[in-house]
Amino acid sequence: MPKILHTADWQMGRAFTRFETEDGAALVEARFEAIETLARLATENQCDAVLVAGDVFDAQTVADRTIRRVFNGTQGFAGPWVMLPGNHDAALAESVWTRAQRLGAVPENVHLALHPGVIDLEPQSLSILCAPLTQRHTYSDLTEPFSGYQTPEGFLRVGLAHGSVQGLLPDEIDSANPIAPNRAEASRLDYLALGDWHGTKQIDERTWYSGTPEPERFRNNEAGNALIVDVSEPGATATVTPVPTGRYQWHQLRETLAVHSDLEQLLECLSSLPESAVVDLRLDGSVTLAGEEALLKALSVAEARFRSLRCERSGLQLAPTDEDIAALKADGYVGEVVESLRERQEAAQDDVARDALAILAGLLREREQEAAQ
Amino acid sequence: MKLQRMRIEQLRQFRKPFVLDNLQPGLNLIHGPNESGKSTLVRAIRAAFFERYRSTAVDDLRPWSDSAAAPTIELDFEHDNCAWRLTKSFLQRKRCDLVVGTDTYSEDDAEEKLAELLGYQYPKRGASKAEHWGIPGLLWVEQGTGQDIEAAIEHAGDHLKSALNSMVGEVASSGGDDLIETVRSQRDTLLTGTGKPRGDYQKLEKDRAHYELEIEQLKERVHKYQEQVDRLGKLTHDYDQAELERPWDDAQRQLERARARYQQVERLQQQQEQEKATLAQQQQTHRLLQQNKEHLEGLSRQLEGRKAELDRAERDLTVAEAQMPAITGRLTEAKTAYEQAEKRRKLAGLLQTRARLEQDVRRLEQQRQMLGQNLAKAREYHQQLEQARQQARENRTDSELVGKLRATGNQLNDETIRSRTIATRLSWQLDADASLTLNNEALTGEGEQQLLEESTLVIPGVGTLGITPGGEELASTRRKLNTLEENLAEQLKALGVATVAQAEERLSAFESAGRAQKHAEDLLKSVAPAGIEQLVSEQNEAESELEKARRQLEATPKPNPDEDVPVLEEAEAALARASAALDKAESDAREHQSGLSALKQARDNAQTEWQRLADEEKSPERQQQLRQISADLTTIEKQQAELGASLERREREIREARPEFLRQDIERYQNAVNQLRQTQEQRGRELRDIKVRLEAWGAEGLEEQLNEKEAEYDQCNRRYQELHRRAQALDLLLNLLTEKRQALTRRLQAPLQKHLNHYLSVLFPEASLEVDEQLRPGTFSRGAELGQITELSFGAREQMGLISRLAYADLLREAGRPTLVILDDTLVHSDSDRLEDMKRILFDAASRHQILLFTCHPEKWQDLGVPPLDIQVSKELSA
């Protein structure tokens, strides 16, 4: 009754751009925690092995500390781990793997599939057919030899590969590291554990992409899971159960503001997101000065609440209404300046004019607030 | 605004209250001499407005040495149809009260109200200064500052602008200038005056570039790292492959094969060399044998030659010997002919000798005869000669001596004669037996003697008589006579004669004998020139010769008269011919003989040589040698042929093995082995190097660093972009604000210009004075003159200043602002004409504004058309 935990694409050593430093650090940290989570899940679910289908590391040259932390993270599961080099951490002549071995960081229960072939886990009656990447890119199907691999009688044949299943994944046509869509069937595999696609995705009843355990992109593609694969005996149908592992949810919102209700809707949407959200907000359209004030206030609240909030407003125009201007008491030539900026912004989509207008409005507002006090 | 009344108390010299009342809405001329308190009044008005009532910096208001004073000012004025009363006390009693219509303000409120009304500000602390004075600073002119318009306008600044904004019908932005300042200060934190980034913005820009550089470098290093990894992969593959295939072993094997092959060829070549050497040796031997053989064969040839030579010598000898009898015959003939010729010549010679001998005989006979005759004669003559000679000998006298004798005789005679005359004559006649000895000379007989000298006469038995001749002459004569006698005697003796005559006679005889001798000698000489003995010997000779000739003749055989005897000359010639022929024959024979000998010798030599060679040739050793040599030659030639064939065969073998290619092969394989091994070693080294390098680089976690750097860059860039946009926005905002405000200012320029021109036309009808954007009077032009107001004379500047202030007052009035003009002893530098114009201007302005004109020269302002207000008088009234 072998049970496998299938994961992939840890991408350890990745640093996050576009985030504030502390946010980036927290996201990195979450990825280390994800390994521990996986170990814990494997133990809790009494898995026989953990298969990592490539891209454990994001790059070949990561810090020694990163390498050690990755392997330390596996301690929570004492059963065998099989790690497969992917395109980011291919088993080159010198690689992150050789480095890890030199460092003595690899625990005994962690098997590194640095060469194509079969790793037999005898106590578990598991044959892991490995197709590691030994070059950065290959253009032939590395799982091709699976068909020729002999496995002991009564052992499950589990393929472990990293690449793109041809013809099934969007935007991945002609991509490197191709894998035949019928590999599991063709090579008599009980299960084919795939990596490379960061979202959890089923290819056929025996072939899955587990996706990355901790999301690291805004593309909403079902990231943040591991798969518990249960195959009762060789040839039996695999029961695959996705288990959430991700800590942070990444949300990308693109909104066009035209009328006031759009803004209200946006603010509502924001407030509905969980605190563990990593939010990327892109706004365009236009907003009144009053609307902007409300938006800024809401963003300020959201920034404090979410793990991370980034808002791109350069596409959002300021459209001060007469009331706005009256409220600002922008009289005399200052009023003329406000008008001039508004015209410029509208006529030329001038970001600078928009910013200038925002600054001026801010200053005037401050002045009014001071005056009011 | 119209000031109506002013009251002061406890203020400087006005210790008692002083009231200035009845101030007119237009022009007010307030005068008083120096020290009268005119300036104090001006100061009081300023203090009432500008100084905070609670200010501690107004000690100057205190009356001298009155520390308890509370300087107080009370002003009544009207503005906007409203009555204003300001009461302000300082120092000891700090108070401020303002009543406006029915409203009352006090303390700070009152002061703010006033400041708002007039447009000025209070100092934060201390005394009010020019920069706080605002609009009043422009309209209230202190003594001696009338020309200083620019600073006043600047200080009026915002008050002026906001006061004037209503003029242009728009609401100037309330606080717009503050806004501009805020924007400017915010902009200036990001940008420099010229729009370059500064502060954080600049730092971010630099950081960004720095990050870019770092990222670039990291990327470069990652790229290098990857290249090295690729290289490592390839090298590892190549290395393992090479270790597996060991291509150098193949090359090594090929090398060894080539070497073995080459060694074979080398051995062949060595053999070839050896055989070549052997061949050369054999050839040498062959040559030597050949030479020996030729040498031995040469003996026979020599022998033949020698034989030929011998034969030739024999032949020559035989020929020569055959010639021998002929030559001998010829010699005999020649000898015979010679003997014959000799006989005939002998005979001829004999004949000739006989003829000569006969002739000799005849000649000798004749000679003998003649000699006989001559001898006879000679003998005769000789006799004669002997006689003559005898004669001569007997009478030989010397003719000279005879002459001398003769002379001596004569002389003696003479002397004797003379002595006889004088001499002592001793004559004697002696008895015959008697003798006397005279001078030892016995005297006998008779005689006489003349004595010429002392003489002794001894008479025997008698004794001796001495005679001494007398006289001197006698002595000398006697001496002379003695000498002569002696001489004569000597000469006679010498001549051998006794007398002179005898001497003469003898002389004559001698001479005649001499002549006869001569004659005889001549004769003798003619017949016997050589003397008689000669003649005799000649005769004897001739006699013997004759005898000899006769004997010869007799000895000479008489030839046979029958025999034909040739003459001697012919015979001798024939003999000479025969002799020559004989000589020739003998020479020929001798020659022939010697030739014969030579030939014989040659023949003998040839014979010897031939014999020797013949002996040698025939020797058995030589025969043996020759046979041996021939045999050896045959053997050697055979061997040579074999060697040649072997050499050729091997040469072909060597050539076919291509040793030069084999050498090249060896080199090539050697190089290949080395190169392959080196390549592999090189790979190994490079592998180690790369591994070490990659380990070092890997430890740096380059890509993770790069990721982090990119994140940092991203943040930095984001922040930079924000600031960049903010800077641009602020810049734009500032530009727009400034632009708009300037536009506003420009709109105020026109009315100000209008008022200014109004006054200027009174002062300088043709002139113009431009107002700049800051609303300051700027460029002044009058006819061709053009310049800044600051370049004018002090008087003119003061006038310009005043009209500018009046123009501002007009502008402010139009804007509905209060205008009060206070002039403290102004225009003191104006000449009377200009002052006249200024009076017109002031008068004109006074129709719109209240003007307080303080002066200490009331006489200058008499024609101002207003009653002067004398401070002194007011003081007295107040008191």
Side-chain angles (χ1 to χ4, degrees), chain A residues 12-22 24 28 32 58-64 66-67 88 92-96 99 102 136 310 312-314 329-337 340-341 344 350-357 359-360 363-364 366-367, chain B residues 170-180 182-183 186 222 225-227 229-230 232-234 236 691 694-705 707-712 714-715 718 722 725-726 728-730 732-733 736-738 740-741 743-744 747:
Chain A
M12 302 311 297
R14 169 168 294 187
F16 292 91
T17 59
R18 301 178 312 197
F19 291 99
E20 295 305 320
T21 314
E22 58 169 271
V28 168
F32 282 110
D58 190 56
Q60 297 285 11
T61 48
V62 298
D64 289 354
T66 304
I67 295 174
H88 281 259
L92 305 177
E94 166 75 12
S95 68
V96 65
R99 179 147 199 87
R102 266 207 307 279
R136 285 194 193 83
R310 296 201 56 243
E312 172 57 55
R313 292 184 291 131
S314 58
K329 297 197 178 151
D331 53 359
Y333 64 85
V334 177
E336 289 176 32
V337 170
S340 164
L341 287 172
R344 263 177 93 149
D350 189 337
D351 285 352
V352 180
R354 197 205 77 93
D355 290 349
L357 186 55
I359 290 167
L360 182 56
L363 288 173
L364 290 172
E366 269 175 38
R367 196 178 65 175
Chain B
E170 299 276 346
V171 185
S173 180
S174 35
D177 289 4
D178 287 343
L179 196 63
I180 288 176
T182 311
V183 171
Q186 288 189 1
V222 167
Y225 176 85
Q226 287 175 349
E227 275 180 348
V229 171
D230 291 348
L232 182 66
K234 185 174 183 310
T236 310
K691 274 185 184 158
L694 285 176
E695 282 175 26
W697 289 357
E700 293 180 46
L702 288 173
E703 281 165 294
E704 196 168 339
Q705 271 187 41
N707 277 339
E708 282 162 10
K709 279 289 169 222
E710 275 174 341
E712 283 171 34
D714 194 65
Q715 277 180 24
R718 234 168 25 236
E722 281 169 13
R725 281 175 56 172
R726 183 169 168 80
Q728 280 186 314
L730 283 168
L732 174 66
L733 192 55
L736 272 176
L737 285 168
T738 317
K740 294 287 180 194
R741 206 196 83 163
L744 180 70
R747 272 179 286 179

Side-chain angles (χ1 to χ4, degrees), chain A residues 20-37:
Chain A
E20 295 305 320
T21 314
E22 58 169 271
D23 295 344
L27 294 171
V28 168
E29 207 51 39
R31 304 192 73 73
F32 282 110
E33 283 167 18
I35 301 173
E36 289 163 15
T37 307

Side-chain angles (χ1 to χ4, degrees), chain B residues 1-4 23-26 28 45-46 49 75-79 118 135-141 805-806 809 812-813 817-823 848-854:
Chain B
M1 177 183 177
K2 303 285 186 279
L3 191 62
Q4 290 158 333
L23 288 171
Q24 300 303 307
N28 296 279
I45 296 170
R46 289 175 166 276
F49 287 100
L75 296 174
D76 290 288
F77 58 93
E78 179 265 330
H79 176 64
L118 290 176
I135 293 170
L138 187 58
L139 301 185
W140 302 351
V141 186
R805 291 169 201 271
L806 293 175
L812 285 162
R813 186 173 176 275
R817 308 292 295 189
T819 58
L820 169 63
V821 180
I822 301 174
L823 306 172
R848 293 182 291 280
H849 313 286
Q850 185 183 37
I851 298 175
L852 305 183
L853 195 140
F854 293 87

Side-chain angles (χ1 to χ4, degrees), chain A residues 250-309:
Chain A
W250 292 47
H251 299 277
Q252 190 169 51
L253 302 175
R254 298 184 182 203
E255 302 291 340
T256 302
L257 303 182
V259 294
H260 189 63
S261 57
D262 291 341
L263 179 61
E264 285 172 349
Q265 207 173 344
L266 171 69
L267 298 183
E268 207 170 308
C269 175
L270 273 180
S271 62
S272 72
L273 289 174
E275 287 185 4
S276 60
V278 175
V279 182
D280 179 40
L281 192 55
R282 290 184 188 205
L283 299 177
D284 52 24
S286 65
V287 69
T288 63
L289 290 183
E292 199 201 33
E293 200 179 348
L295 176 64
L296 289 179
K297 198 172 156 195
L299 288 178
S300 172
V301 171
E303 256 176 12
R305 194 161 73 87
F306 298 145
R307 172 68 264 169
S308 167
L309 170 69

Side-chain angles (χ1 to χ4, degrees), chain B residues 49-66:
Chain B
F49 287 100
F50 295 156
E51 306 293 356
R52 292 277 190 188
Y53 68 93
R54 49 186 153 77
S55 171
T56 54
V58 290
D59 275 348
D60 67 304
L61 298 178
R62 192 196 308 274
W64 185 74
S65 76
D66 183 357

Side-chain angles (χ1 to χ4, degrees), chain B residues 93-367:
Chain B
R93 185 163 52 87
K94 299 184 173 74
R95 251 200 99 73
C96 178
D97 293 297
L98 179 65
V99 180
V100 184
T102 55
D103 298 334
T104 307
Y105 305 90
S106 61
E107 319 293 81
D108 288 355
D109 289 348
E111 289 188 334
E112 291 305 324
K113 187 84 178 163
L114 286 169
E116 194 184 338
L117 173 69
L118 290 176
Y120 64 90
Q121 67 217 60
Y122 294 100
K124 292 218 163 52
R125 70 160 70 88
S128 179
K129 297 199 184 66
E131 63 260 35
H132 305 120
W133 296 341
I135 293 170
L138 187 58
L139 301 185
W140 302 351
V141 186
E142 288 190 292
Q143 198 167 359
T145 63
Q147 77 291 344
D148 200 3
I149 179 80
E150 306 234 339
I153 292 171
E154 199 186 321
H155 297 145
D158 289 347
H159 299 289
L160 196 57
K161 284 183 190 103
S162 64
L164 293 175
N165 275 346
S166 59
M167 286 279 308
V168 290
E170 299 276 346
V171 185
S173 180
S174 35
D177 289 4
D178 287 343
L179 196 63
I180 288 176
E181 280 316 304
T182 311
V183 171
R184 190 193 304 283
S185 75
Q186 288 189 1
R187 175 204 175 270
D188 288 351
T189 59
L190 298 178
L191 295 173
T192 63
T194 54
K196 299 266 165 53
R198 78 194 302 175
D200 284 352
Y201 181 32
Q202 188 192 22
K203 186 173 174 300
L204 281 166
E205 193 180 37
K206 279 184 186 160
D207 287 352
R208 196 171 71 135
H210 185 65
Y211 279 127
E212 275 169 5
L213 188 69
E214 279 187 328
I215 286 168
E216 199 49 47
Q217 285 168 347
L218 275 170
K219 277 185 176 163
E220 180 62 28
R221 295 193 59 197
V222 167
H223 181 67
K224 267 193 194 153
Y225 176 85
Q226 287 175 349
E227 275 180 348
Q228 290 286 307
V229 171
D230 291 348
R231 177 82 190 135
L232 182 66
K234 185 174 183 310
L235 271 176
T236 310
H237 176 262
D238 291 353
Y239 185 84
D240 293 347
Q241 182 114 13
E243 282 296 315
L244 202 68
E245 291 170 0
R246 302 184 69 79
W248 51 87
D249 287 349
D250 282 350
Q252 185 71 41
R253 273 191 294 280
Q254 275 169 315
L255 173 65
E256 272 153 25
R257 269 203 297 280
R259 269 185 183 153
R261 185 90 190 84
Y262 187 66
Q263 275 166 5
Q264 267 177 356
V265 173
E266 269 185 335
R267 270 198 300 281
L268 283 178
Q269 280 176 330
Q270 273 172 12
Q271 285 171 5
Q272 189 78 338
E273 286 310 310
Q274 278 168 5
E275 278 194 7
K276 270 182 186 167
T278 312
L279 181 62
Q281 227 171 347
Q282 283 187 352
Q283 281 170 340
Q284 181 69 15
T285 314
H286 185 264
R287 209 155 41 240
L288 285 172
L289 285 173
Q290 197 75 39
Q291 275 175 6
N292 277 349
K293 191 181 170 203
E294 275 168 22
H295 176 68
L296 290 174
E297 284 170 353
L299 270 179
S300 302
R301 251 194 330 277
Q302 265 184 329
L303 191 60
E304 281 167 23
R306 287 284 149 88
K307 180 68 182 154
E309 274 176 40
L310 178 60
D311 290 352
R312 195 162 56 245
E314 293 272 15
R315 204 164 49 242
D316 288 352
L317 185 59
T318 313
V319 170
E321 277 172 349
Q323 285 172 339
M324 196 64 185
I327 287 169
T328 316
R330 271 201 300 278
L331 179 61
T332 315
E333 269 173 38
K335 271 185 181 162
T336 313
Y338 179 75
E339 280 164 11
Q340 196 68 35
E342 197 175 34
K343 220 162 115 188
R344 284 174 64 90
R345 192 202 61 96
K346 264 183 194 166
L347 203 56
L350 193 61
L351 276 178
Q352 196 176 32
T353 308
R354 276 192 69 88
R356 183 177 51 91
L357 285 173
E358 282 166 3
Q359 201 178 352
D360 280 354
V361 168
R362 272 186 310 273
R363 184 182 48 90
L364 285 169
E365 279 172 351
Q366 281 170 8
Q367 196 180 4

